[in-house]
Amino acid sequence: MSLLEQPSRPVSSFARLRRPGGPGGGRPGGRPRPVRELLLIGVLFTVYKLGRLLANDRVGEAFGNAHRIWDVERALDLPSEAHLQHGLLHSQFLVHVANCYYAYVHFPAMALFLLWIYLRRPAHYRWIRRVLVALTAGALALHLLVPLAPPRMLPATGLIDTAARFGPSVYGSPQHDTMANQYAAMPSLHIGWAAIIAIGLIVTCRTRWRWLWLAHLAATVAVVVSTANHYWMDGIVVLALLAVAVLLLRPAAAALPAAGPPRAPGEKRAEPETS
């Protein structure tokens, strides 16, 4: 059988994500209007912040769940979060870097990522926005259903609050913090959003170095665990939620055009006729 007679290879799921839109990877609907997108993101962010505050008065339940999560992790023989923190505490400089990464990278990184996708990869923007909204909504539901005190608040973990001890810290006293629900550790949106950024840039970029964006995800996992803001289970749960969202929310009309007869070497693709 000659090369021209061989059937075309099936397209992988990853390749489908890299070619959203209509036949040939077109752009359904074009780039959304910026004012509408800013208003939508602002409304969603406000709902998310208000929703988190609904669980602030369930402190006893949050600590009970924290003890259960800690016991489950030990039963599963997961690495102790304390071991990672002890390694971080060997350097005050690294502690400060980790605290700054936790405090100042999360929201700006997502904002810059969405802006870049919106301007440079509009064909993927709607899909990424849907995945982001679905993951954040699922996380908010779990925050309300399963309030969870972070490991920095649980004496049984042996961990310290590195941000409160060395700074900078984005949280005040849990009793007087009106901006954030500190009993919403499960799941970790720091890890979930970092994973969306990594997936989005790997899918949309063409450079062979795009896989290095996984370093942002790895750094985020190391930071949120070593600073005692999250358990390992918080990351495991959010990545499971993200996997479900990606599987269910594929890009619109992601199916590739039916494979036609293979082209001979050097043969140009016929351009569609225009009137």
Side-chain angles (χ1 to χ4, degrees), residues 40-165:
L40 176 61
I41 292 173
V43 169
L44 292 174
F45 177 76
T46 301
V47 171
Y48 167 69
K49 297 297 282 186
L50 291 176
R52 287 180 60 138
L53 296 177
L54 295 177
N56 270 352
D57 58 348
R58 300 164 65 185
V59 177
E61 187 179 352
F63 276 93
N65 289 331
H67 282 286
R68 282 186 282 274
I69 288 293
W70 186 255
D71 291 340
V72 167
E73 288 191 346
R74 306 292 74 79
L76 295 175
D77 201 25
L78 294 180
S80 173
E81 290 85 346
H83 293 160
L84 190 60
Q85 185 177 86
H86 291 163
L88 179 70
L89 293 176
H90 282 96
S91 169
Q92 187 168 341
F93 171 76
L94 288 180
V95 173
H96 187 74
V97 169
N99 290 338
C100 288
Y101 202 96
Y102 181 86
Y104 304 133
V105 173
H106 179 51
F107 282 108
M110 178 55 71
L112 290 173
F113 166 70
L114 289 176
L115 179 62
W116 187 85
I117 291 291
Y118 179 83
L119 295 176
R120 301 299 299 274
R121 300 291 187 270
H124 289 83
Y125 175 80
R126 296 173 188 271
W127 168 65
I128 288 173
R129 183 191 63 192
R130 288 196 296 268
V131 171
L132 175 63
V133 171
L135 177 67
T136 305
L140 176 57
L142 276 180
H143 292 162
L144 297 177
L145 293 172
V146 188
L148 182 67
R152 57 187 167 84
M153 294 183 182
L154 196 64
T157 65
L159 297 165
I160 67 170
D161 186 344
T162 61
R165 180 77 61 87

